[in-house]
Amino acid sequence: MTTIERPTPPMNADERATLEGWLDFYRATLALKCAGLDDARVRIAAAAPSPMTLLGLVQHLAEVERNWFRRVLAGESVPPIHDRGAETAGHDGGFEVSEHATLDAALTTWNAEITHARRNCAERRLGDTSPFMGGEVSLRWIYTHMIAEYARHCGHADLIRERIDGTTGV
């Protein structure tokens, strides 16, 4: 099993380091929730009637990273990664898992999107804005939104992982 480092967010740092620290903490938490599981186990759904799986969460968060840090922040014209129709297109996609999807491939794609995100953020200040929904959205707002998005989905991941093999915490 691969060792995954989960950095502790700084407890007394500037705003940017704090925001980036919390986002990286939750990114690592999701990876930890998937660690040690095979492709069959990451396809186990949370609880009926929800079809949510760990594999679907990784795919979804790759879409979310792409949407906020590439499309919105950087203005890149990139297609959805997991476009499976109008109901899952764009930043809301990824939850539906194809029969050919693997955890390794999903993690590789997700990590590539995180690398793009870090690169796009490095050249911007927290107050820098991008056009969004007829207005402007700042990098600060995007970081805050992403922390909330990851925190919510890490809660889902915790429940799913407990259902799979009883593992809690982390």
Side-chain angles (χ1 to χ4, degrees):
M1 172 171 36
T2 304
T3 301
I4 298 167
E5 295 291 325
R6 183 170 66 171
T8 300
M11 295 185 200
N12 187 15
D14 65 35
E15 180 182 16
R16 185 174 192 122
T18 300
L19 292 169
E20 289 175 349
W22 276 106
L23 184 53
D24 284 341
F25 173 84
Y26 284 120
R27 286 168 170 159
T29 299
L30 181 64
L32 283 166
K33 291 299 172 184
C34 297
L37 297 176
D38 61 22
D39 286 332
R41 294 176 103 189
V42 294
R43 292 171 175 277
I44 295 173
S50 174
M52 189 179 296
T53 65
L54 288 173
L55 181 55
L57 283 172
V58 172
Q59 291 181 166
H60 171 68
L61 285 162
E63 292 285 7
V64 173
E65 293 272 354
R66 176 173 280 207
N67 185 63
W68 285 105
F69 293 117
R70 295 182 71 184
R71 289 189 192 110
V72 176
L73 181 67
E76 296 177 32
S77 179
V78 290
I81 302 163
H82 305 284
D83 188 4
R84 308 227 355 139
E87 69 281 357
T88 62
H91 71 280
D92 289 329
F95 284 115
E96 187 175 330
V97 176
S98 83
E99 65 184 89
H100 305 293
T102 66
L103 179 59
D104 284 343
L107 289 170
T108 297
T109 300
W110 176 59
N111 281 307
E113 290 303 323
I114 291 169
T115 298
H116 280 287
R118 288 185 175 128
R119 188 176 319 122
N120 287 345
C121 293
E123 57 195 50
R124 291 172 173 79
R125 295 181 320 261
L126 290 177
D128 287 353
T129 60
S130 298
F132 182 66
M133 296 181 66
E136 297 284 317
V137 63
S138 70
L139 176 56
R140 176 183 292 105
W141 189 96
I142 293 171
Y143 272 143
T144 304
H145 173 74
M146 290 296 290
I147 291 164
E149 179 88 4
Y150 268 94
R152 180 169 61 105
H153 288 315
C154 283
H156 296 138
D158 195 41
L159 293 171
I160 296 168
R161 182 63 190 251
E162 185 175 7
R163 178 156 197 262
I164 292 169
D165 65 6
T167 299
T168 60
V170 183

